[in-house]
PDB file of all heavy atoms in Angstrom:
ATOM      1  N   LEU T   1     151.894  51.442-103.900  1.00  0.00           N
ATOM      2  CA  LEU T   1     150.950  51.682-102.891  1.00  0.00           C
ATOM      3  C   LEU T   1     149.535  51.756-103.452  1.00  0.00           C
ATOM      4  O   LEU T   1     148.599  51.226-102.821  1.00  0.00           O
ATOM      5  CB  LEU T   1     151.228  52.997-102.210  1.00  0.00           C
ATOM      6  CG  LEU T   1     150.810  53.276-100.739  1.00  0.00           C
ATOM      7  CD1 LEU T   1     151.397  52.155 -99.877  1.00  0.00           C
ATOM      8  CD2 LEU T   1     151.276  54.661-100.298  1.00  0.00           C
ATOM      9  N   SER T   2     149.359  52.352-104.587  1.00  0.00           N
ATOM     10  CA  SER T   2     148.044  52.338-105.179  1.00  0.00           C
ATOM     11  C   SER T   2     147.589  51.011-105.612  1.00  0.00           C
ATOM     12  O   SER T   2     146.431  50.644-105.504  1.00  0.00           O
ATOM     13  CB  SER T   2     148.188  53.260-106.492  1.00  0.00           C
ATOM     14  OG  SER T   2     146.901  53.248-107.242  1.00  0.00           O
ATOM     15  N   ASP T   3     148.537  50.165-106.126  1.00  0.00           N
ATOM     16  CA  ASP T   3     148.204  48.724-106.486  1.00  0.00           C
ATOM     17  C   ASP T   3     147.757  48.028-105.302  1.00  0.00           C
ATOM     18  O   ASP T   3     146.780  47.256-105.258  1.00  0.00           O
ATOM     19  CB  ASP T   3     149.353  48.110-107.232  1.00  0.00           C
ATOM     20  CG  ASP T   3     149.087  46.706-107.659  1.00  0.00           C
ATOM     21  OD1 ASP T   3     148.027  46.514-108.363  1.00  0.00           O
ATOM     22  OD2 ASP T   3     149.809  45.779-107.309  1.00  0.00           O
ATOM     23  N   LEU T   4     148.506  48.137-104.187  1.00  0.00           N
ATOM     24  CA  LEU T   4     148.141  47.509-103.008  1.00  0.00           C
ATOM     25  C   LEU T   4     146.802  47.905-102.409  1.00  0.00           C
ATOM     26  O   LEU T   4     145.958  47.074-102.027  1.00  0.00           O
ATOM     27  CB  LEU T   4     149.141  47.761-101.843  1.00  0.00           C
ATOM     28  CG  LEU T   4     148.943  47.160-100.458  1.00  0.00           C
ATOM     29  CD1 LEU T   4     148.938  45.616-100.576  1.00  0.00           C
ATOM     30  CD2 LEU T   4     150.074  47.603 -99.552  1.00  0.00           C
ATOM     31  N   ARG T   5     146.506  49.205-102.495  1.00  0.00           N
ATOM     32  CA  ARG T   5     145.190  49.699-102.150  1.00  0.00           C
ATOM     33  C   ARG T   5     144.054  49.028-102.971  1.00  0.00           C
ATOM     34  O   ARG T   5     143.024  48.609-102.392  1.00  0.00           O
ATOM     35  CB  ARG T   5     145.105  51.205-102.290  1.00  0.00           C
ATOM     36  CG  ARG T   5     143.791  51.829-101.851  1.00  0.00           C
ATOM     37  CD  ARG T   5     143.712  53.315-102.205  1.00  0.00           C
ATOM     38  NE  ARG T   5     142.408  53.847-101.819  1.00  0.00           N
ATOM     39  CZ  ARG T   5     141.334  53.755-102.630  1.00  0.00           C
ATOM     40  NH1 ARG T   5     141.433  53.253-103.805  1.00  0.00           N
ATOM     41  NH2 ARG T   5     140.188  54.337-102.201  1.00  0.00           N
ATOM     42  N   LEU T   6     144.259  48.920-104.228  1.00  0.00           N
ATOM     43  CA  LEU T   6     143.259  48.355-105.080  1.00  0.00           C
ATOM     44  C   LEU T   6     143.018  46.790-104.720  1.00  0.00           C
ATOM     45  O   LEU T   6     141.890  46.285-104.704  1.00  0.00           O
ATOM     46  CB  LEU T   6     143.604  48.471-106.565  1.00  0.00           C
ATOM     47  CG  LEU T   6     143.512  49.819-107.102  1.00  0.00           C
ATOM     48  CD1 LEU T   6     144.087  49.839-108.607  1.00  0.00           C
ATOM     49  CD2 LEU T   6     142.097  50.337-107.135  1.00  0.00           C
ATOM     50  N   GLN T   7     144.142  46.101-104.439  1.00  0.00           N
ATOM     51  CA  GLN T   7     144.020  44.694-104.009  1.00  0.00           C
ATOM     52  C   GLN T   7     143.174  44.598-102.687  1.00  0.00           C
ATOM     53  O   GLN T   7     142.403  43.693-102.542  1.00  0.00           O
ATOM     54  CB  GLN T   7     145.440  44.139-103.943  1.00  0.00           C
ATOM     55  CG  GLN T   7     146.106  43.930-105.243  1.00  0.00           C
ATOM     56  CD  GLN T   7     147.549  43.300-105.084  1.00  0.00           C
ATOM     57  OE1 GLN T   7     147.808  42.753-104.077  1.00  0.00           O
ATOM     58  NE2 GLN T   7     148.330  43.534-106.041  1.00  0.00           N
ATOM     59  N   ILE T   8     143.573  45.493-101.746  1.00  0.00           N
ATOM     60  CA  ILE T   8     142.855  45.450-100.506  1.00  0.00           C
ATOM     61  C   ILE T   8     141.383  45.686-100.638  1.00  0.00           C
ATOM     62  O   ILE T   8     140.525  45.036 -99.972  1.00  0.00           O
ATOM     63  CB  ILE T   8     143.581  46.410 -99.518  1.00  0.00           C
ATOM     64  CG1 ILE T   8     144.983  45.808 -99.142  1.00  0.00           C
ATOM     65  CG2 ILE T   8     142.669  46.603 -98.225  1.00  0.00           C
ATOM     66  CD1 ILE T   8     145.774  46.822 -98.325  1.00  0.00           C
ATOM     67  N   VAL T   9     141.105  46.702-101.412  1.00  0.00           N
ATOM     68  CA  VAL T   9     139.666  47.021-101.631  1.00  0.00           C
ATOM     69  C   VAL T   9     138.991  45.831-102.335  1.00  0.00           C
ATOM     70  O   VAL T   9     137.872  45.509-101.949  1.00  0.00           O
ATOM     71  CB  VAL T   9     139.509  48.273-102.497  1.00  0.00           C
ATOM     72  CG1 VAL T   9     138.137  48.481-103.020  1.00  0.00           C
ATOM     73  CG2 VAL T   9     139.958  49.503-101.692  1.00  0.00           C
ATOM     74  N   GLY T  10     139.638  45.252-103.303  1.00  0.00           N
ATOM     75  CA  GLY T  10     138.993  44.077-103.957  1.00  0.00           C
ATOM     76  C   GLY T  10     138.845  42.936-102.971  1.00  0.00           C
ATOM     77  O   GLY T  10     137.759  42.255-103.091  1.00  0.00           O
ATOM     78  N   MET T  11     139.791  42.704-102.188  1.00  0.00           N
ATOM     79  CA  MET T  11     139.650  41.655-101.146  1.00  0.00           C
ATOM     80  C   MET T  11     138.498  41.882-100.154  1.00  0.00           C
ATOM     81  O   MET T  11     137.819  41.053 -99.704  1.00  0.00           O
ATOM     82  CB  MET T  11     140.983  41.342-100.432  1.00  0.00           C
ATOM     83  CG  MET T  11     142.014  40.750-101.336  1.00  0.00           C
ATOM     84  SD  MET T  11     143.634  40.582-100.500  1.00  0.00           S
ATOM     85  CE  MET T  11     143.320  39.198 -99.433  1.00  0.00           C
ATOM     86  N   GLY T  12     138.385  43.158 -99.795  1.00  0.00           N
ATOM     87  CA  GLY T  12     137.248  43.627 -98.968  1.00  0.00           C
ATOM     88  C   GLY T  12     135.911  43.263 -99.570  1.00  0.00           C
ATOM     89  O   GLY T  12     134.973  42.793 -98.890  1.00  0.00           O
ATOM     90  N   GLY T  13     135.747  43.577-100.794  1.00  0.00           N
ATOM     91  CA  GLY T  13     134.557  43.183-101.576  1.00  0.00           C
ATOM     92  C   GLY T  13     134.281  41.735-101.558  1.00  0.00           C
ATOM     93  O   GLY T  13     133.132  41.252-101.423  1.00  0.00           O
ATOM     94  N   LEU T  14     135.313  40.924-101.739  1.00  0.00           N
ATOM     95  CA  LEU T  14     135.120  39.503-101.663  1.00  0.00           C
ATOM     96  C   LEU T  14     134.722  38.970-100.317  1.00  0.00           C
ATOM     97  O   LEU T  14     133.884  38.044-100.190  1.00  0.00           O
ATOM     98  CB  LEU T  14     136.472  38.777-102.046  1.00  0.00           C
ATOM     99  CG  LEU T  14     136.846  38.882-103.533  1.00  0.00           C
ATOM    100  CD1 LEU T  14     138.287  38.370-103.782  1.00  0.00           C
ATOM    101  CD2 LEU T  14     135.838  38.198-104.423  1.00  0.00           C
ATOM    102  N   VAL T  15     135.266  39.615 -99.315  1.00  0.00           N
ATOM    103  CA  VAL T  15     134.876  39.239 -97.908  1.00  0.00           C
ATOM    104  C   VAL T  15     133.437  39.501 -97.635  1.00  0.00           C
ATOM    105  O   VAL T  15     132.642  38.709 -97.147  1.00  0.00           O
ATOM    106  CB  VAL T  15     135.813  40.032 -96.907  1.00  0.00           C
ATOM    107  CG1 VAL T  15     135.164  39.860 -95.480  1.00  0.00           C
ATOM    108  CG2 VAL T  15     137.195  39.490 -96.918  1.00  0.00           C
ATOM    109  N   ILE T  16     132.957  40.644 -98.091  1.00  0.00           N
ATOM    110  CA  ILE T  16     131.512  41.074 -97.983  1.00  0.00           C
ATOM    111  C   ILE T  16     130.696  39.992 -98.713  1.00  0.00           C
ATOM    112  O   ILE T  16     129.675  39.582 -98.106  1.00  0.00           O
ATOM    113  CB  ILE T  16     131.267  42.461 -98.453  1.00  0.00           C
ATOM    114  CG1 ILE T  16     131.935  43.456 -97.554  1.00  0.00           C
ATOM    115  CG2 ILE T  16     129.801  42.714 -98.622  1.00  0.00           C
ATOM    116  CD1 ILE T  16     131.992  44.852 -98.104  1.00  0.00           C
ATOM    117  N   ASP T  17     131.067  39.671 -99.909  1.00  0.00           N
ATOM    118  CA  ASP T  17     130.251  38.669-100.637  1.00  0.00           C
ATOM    119  C   ASP T  17     130.255  37.333 -99.937  1.00  0.00           C
ATOM    120  O   ASP T  17     129.232  36.668 -99.858  1.00  0.00           O
ATOM    121  CB  ASP T  17     130.802  38.551-102.098  1.00  0.00           C
ATOM    122  CG  ASP T  17     129.974  37.684-102.973  1.00  0.00           C
ATOM    123  OD1 ASP T  17     128.741  37.928-102.914  1.00  0.00           O
ATOM    124  OD2 ASP T  17     130.481  36.822-103.615  1.00  0.00           O
ATOM    125  N   GLN T  18     131.449  36.857 -99.479  1.00  0.00           N
ATOM    126  CA  GLN T  18     131.503  35.534 -98.774  1.00  0.00           C
ATOM    127  C   GLN T  18     130.643  35.566 -97.565  1.00  0.00           C
ATOM    128  O   GLN T  18     129.969  34.613 -97.327  1.00  0.00           O
ATOM    129  CB  GLN T  18     133.010  35.294 -98.452  1.00  0.00           C
ATOM    130  CG  GLN T  18     133.864  34.828 -99.587  1.00  0.00           C
ATOM    131  CD  GLN T  18     133.535  33.468 -99.996  1.00  0.00           C
ATOM    132  OE1 GLN T  18     132.633  33.299-100.884  1.00  0.00           O
ATOM    133  NE2 GLN T  18     134.145  32.411 -99.448  1.00  0.00           N
ATOM    134  N   VAL T  19     130.689  36.632 -96.685  1.00  0.00           N
ATOM    135  CA  VAL T  19     129.902  36.633 -95.522  1.00  0.00           C
ATOM    136  C   VAL T  19     128.482  36.623 -95.813  1.00  0.00           C
ATOM    137  O   VAL T  19     127.663  35.872 -95.184  1.00  0.00           O
ATOM    138  CB  VAL T  19     130.256  37.835 -94.602  1.00  0.00           C
ATOM    139  CG1 VAL T  19     129.270  37.983 -93.465  1.00  0.00           C
ATOM    140  CG2 VAL T  19     131.742  37.718 -94.037  1.00  0.00           C
ATOM    141  N   SER T  20     128.032  37.403 -96.791  1.00  0.00           N
ATOM    142  CA  SER T  20     126.634  37.468 -97.204  1.00  0.00           C
ATOM    143  C   SER T  20     126.133  36.115 -97.750  1.00  0.00           C
ATOM    144  O   SER T  20     125.049  35.641 -97.277  1.00  0.00           O
ATOM    145  CB  SER T  20     126.436  38.502 -98.313  1.00  0.00           C
ATOM    146  OG  SER T  20     125.162  38.489 -98.837  1.00  0.00           O
ATOM    147  N   SER T  21     126.955  35.446 -98.538  1.00  0.00           N
ATOM    148  CA  SER T  21     126.628  34.145 -98.998  1.00  0.00           C
ATOM    149  C   SER T  21     126.514  33.145 -97.917  1.00  0.00           C
ATOM    150  O   SER T  21     125.667  32.247 -97.867  1.00  0.00           O
ATOM    151  CB  SER T  21     127.614  33.702-100.086  1.00  0.00           C
ATOM    152  OG  SER T  21     127.467  34.521-101.268  1.00  0.00           O
ATOM    153  N   ALA T  22     127.491  33.200 -96.990  1.00  0.00           N
ATOM    154  CA  ALA T  22     127.549  32.231 -95.884  1.00  0.00           C
ATOM    155  C   ALA T  22     126.264  32.359 -95.005  1.00  0.00           C
ATOM    156  O   ALA T  22     125.683  31.406 -94.599  1.00  0.00           O
ATOM    157  CB  ALA T  22     128.820  32.359 -95.029  1.00  0.00           C
ATOM    158  N   VAL T  23     125.868  33.618 -94.731  1.00  0.00           N
ATOM    159  CA  VAL T  23     124.720  33.849 -93.861  1.00  0.00           C
ATOM    160  C   VAL T  23     123.518  33.387 -94.604  1.00  0.00           C
ATOM    161  O   VAL T  23     122.636  32.736 -94.026  1.00  0.00           O
ATOM    162  CB  VAL T  23     124.597  35.384 -93.480  1.00  0.00           C
ATOM    163  CG1 VAL T  23     123.248  35.643 -92.913  1.00  0.00           C
ATOM    164  CG2 VAL T  23     125.724  35.740 -92.550  1.00  0.00           C
ATOM    165  N   HIS T  24     123.418  33.623 -95.911  1.00  0.00           N
ATOM    166  CA  HIS T  24     122.221  33.144 -96.674  1.00  0.00           C
ATOM    167  C   HIS T  24     122.179  31.574 -96.656  1.00  0.00           C
ATOM    168  O   HIS T  24     121.115  31.036 -96.442  1.00  0.00           O
ATOM    169  CB  HIS T  24     122.406  33.567 -98.154  1.00  0.00           C
ATOM    170  CG  HIS T  24     121.358  33.124 -99.066  1.00  0.00           C
ATOM    171  ND1 HIS T  24     120.064  33.483 -99.003  1.00  0.00           N
ATOM    172  CD2 HIS T  24     121.449  32.291-100.145  1.00  0.00           C
ATOM    173  CE1 HIS T  24     119.385  32.882 -99.991  1.00  0.00           C
ATOM    174  NE2 HIS T  24     120.216  32.092-100.661  1.00  0.00           N
ATOM    175  N   ALA T  25     123.339  30.978 -96.825  1.00  0.00           N
ATOM    176  CA  ALA T  25     123.371  29.534 -96.745  1.00  0.00           C
ATOM    177  C   ALA T  25     122.875  28.999 -95.477  1.00  0.00           C
ATOM    178  O   ALA T  25     122.207  28.025 -95.306  1.00  0.00           O
ATOM    179  CB  ALA T  25     124.779  29.016 -97.114  1.00  0.00           C
ATOM    180  N   LEU T  26     123.402  29.647 -94.380  1.00  0.00           N
ATOM    181  CA  LEU T  26     123.071  29.188 -93.031  1.00  0.00           C
ATOM    182  C   LEU T  26     121.577  29.416 -92.727  1.00  0.00           C
ATOM    183  O   LEU T  26     120.868  28.498 -92.263  1.00  0.00           O
ATOM    184  CB  LEU T  26     123.885  29.942 -92.042  1.00  0.00           C
ATOM    185  CG  LEU T  26     123.625  29.674 -90.467  1.00  0.00           C
ATOM    186  CD1 LEU T  26     124.015  28.179 -90.223  1.00  0.00           C
ATOM    187  CD2 LEU T  26     124.431  30.619 -89.632  1.00  0.00           C
ATOM    188  N   LEU T  27     121.031  30.558 -93.057  1.00  0.00           N
ATOM    189  CA  LEU T  27     119.631  30.884 -92.773  1.00  0.00           C
ATOM    190  C   LEU T  27     118.641  30.028 -93.569  1.00  0.00           C
ATOM    191  O   LEU T  27     117.631  29.644 -93.072  1.00  0.00           O
ATOM    192  CB  LEU T  27     119.375  32.363 -92.942  1.00  0.00           C
ATOM    193  CG  LEU T  27     119.986  33.307 -92.003  1.00  0.00           C
ATOM    194  CD1 LEU T  27     119.696  34.764 -92.275  1.00  0.00           C
ATOM    195  CD2 LEU T  27     119.645  33.027 -90.512  1.00  0.00           C
ATOM    196  N   ASP T  28     119.022  29.766 -94.800  1.00  0.00           N
ATOM    197  CA  ASP T  28     118.163  28.994 -95.715  1.00  0.00           C
ATOM    198  C   ASP T  28     118.485  27.538 -95.707  1.00  0.00           C
ATOM    199  O   ASP T  28     117.695  26.724 -96.436  1.00  0.00           O
ATOM    200  CB  ASP T  28     118.249  29.544 -97.103  1.00  0.00           C
ATOM    201  CG  ASP T  28     117.724  30.978 -97.275  1.00  0.00           C
ATOM    202  OD1 ASP T  28     117.060  31.344 -96.360  1.00  0.00           O
ATOM    203  OD2 ASP T  28     118.008  31.571 -98.318  1.00  0.00           O
ATOM    204  N   GLY T  29     119.491  27.058 -94.969  1.00  0.00           N
ATOM    205  CA  GLY T  29     119.895  25.739 -94.957  1.00  0.00           C
ATOM    206  C   GLY T  29     120.293  25.251 -96.347  1.00  0.00           C
ATOM    207  O   GLY T  29     120.000  24.071 -96.759  1.00  0.00           O
ATOM    208  N   ASP T  30     120.911  26.111 -97.182  1.00  0.00           N
ATOM    209  CA  ASP T  30     121.269  25.820 -98.550  1.00  0.00           C
ATOM    210  C   ASP T  30     122.743  25.242 -98.643  1.00  0.00           C
ATOM    211  O   ASP T  30     123.677  25.999 -98.540  1.00  0.00           O
ATOM    212  CB  ASP T  30     121.115  27.011 -99.403  1.00  0.00           C
ATOM    213  CG  ASP T  30     121.170  26.778-100.931  1.00  0.00           C
ATOM    214  OD1 ASP T  30     121.913  25.872-101.278  1.00  0.00           O
ATOM    215  OD2 ASP T  30     120.485  27.566-101.628  1.00  0.00           O
ATOM    216  N   ALA T  31     122.757  23.984 -98.808  1.00  0.00           N
ATOM    217  CA  ALA T  31     124.116  23.251 -98.760  1.00  0.00           C
ATOM    218  C   ALA T  31     124.912  23.618 -99.973  1.00  0.00           C
ATOM    219  O   ALA T  31     126.139  23.656 -99.981  1.00  0.00           O
ATOM    220  CB  ALA T  31     123.920  21.710 -98.644  1.00  0.00           C
ATOM    221  N   ALA T  32     124.213  23.883-101.097  1.00  0.00           N
ATOM    222  CA  ALA T  32     124.878  24.206-102.375  1.00  0.00           C
ATOM    223  C   ALA T  32     125.632  25.552-102.241  1.00  0.00           C
ATOM    224  O   ALA T  32     126.747  25.666-102.692  1.00  0.00           O
ATOM    225  CB  ALA T  32     123.919  24.220-103.537  1.00  0.00           C
ATOM    226  N   ILE T  33     124.976  26.495-101.682  1.00  0.00           N
ATOM    227  CA  ILE T  33     125.649  27.841-101.442  1.00  0.00           C
ATOM    228  C   ILE T  33     126.734  27.692-100.475  1.00  0.00           C
ATOM    229  O   ILE T  33     127.812  28.282-100.611  1.00  0.00           O
ATOM    230  CB  ILE T  33     124.615  28.898-101.050  1.00  0.00           C
ATOM    231  CG1 ILE T  33     123.651  29.177-102.234  1.00  0.00           C
ATOM    232  CG2 ILE T  33     125.289  30.197-100.632  1.00  0.00           C
ATOM    233  CD1 ILE T  33     122.575  30.196-101.923  1.00  0.00           C
ATOM    234  N   ALA T  34     126.484  26.939 -99.419  1.00  0.00           N
ATOM    235  CA  ALA T  34     127.562  26.663 -98.396  1.00  0.00           C
ATOM    236  C   ALA T  34     128.843  26.078 -99.090  1.00  0.00           C
ATOM    237  O   ALA T  34     129.948  26.486 -98.774  1.00  0.00           O
ATOM    238  CB  ALA T  34     127.101  25.834 -97.274  1.00  0.00           C
ATOM    239  N   GLN T  35     128.600  25.180-100.011  1.00  0.00           N
ATOM    240  CA  GLN T  35     129.768  24.467-100.632  1.00  0.00           C
ATOM    241  C   GLN T  35     130.400  25.499-101.560  1.00  0.00           C
ATOM    242  O   GLN T  35     131.627  25.477-101.702  1.00  0.00           O
ATOM    243  CB  GLN T  35     129.216  23.268-101.421  1.00  0.00           C
ATOM    244  CG  GLN T  35     130.314  22.461-102.056  1.00  0.00           C
ATOM    245  CD  GLN T  35     131.326  21.971-100.992  1.00  0.00           C
ATOM    246  OE1 GLN T  35     130.917  21.436 -99.981  1.00  0.00           O
ATOM    247  NE2 GLN T  35     132.623  22.074-101.204  1.00  0.00           N
TER     248      GLN T  35
END
């Protein structure tokens, strides 16, 4: 259960990073970040 919790927290961090990068790519029209 502890291992699963750590994996979920890690995946949540990745989701936050992905959404932030995607919004940045969209707002700035940055195709490299989008890729």
Side-chain angles (χ1 to χ4, degrees):
L1 208 55
S2 179
D3 183 51
L4 180 60
R5 180 184 177 278
L6 290 174
Q7 289 179 22
I8 290 170
V9 168
M11 290 176 75
L14 292 172
V15 168
I16 290 169
D17 187 47
Q18 283 289 88
V19 170
S20 175
S21 295
V23 169
H24 176 68
L26 180 63
L27 293 177
D28 293 346
D30 192 327
I33 293 178
Q35 189 57 48

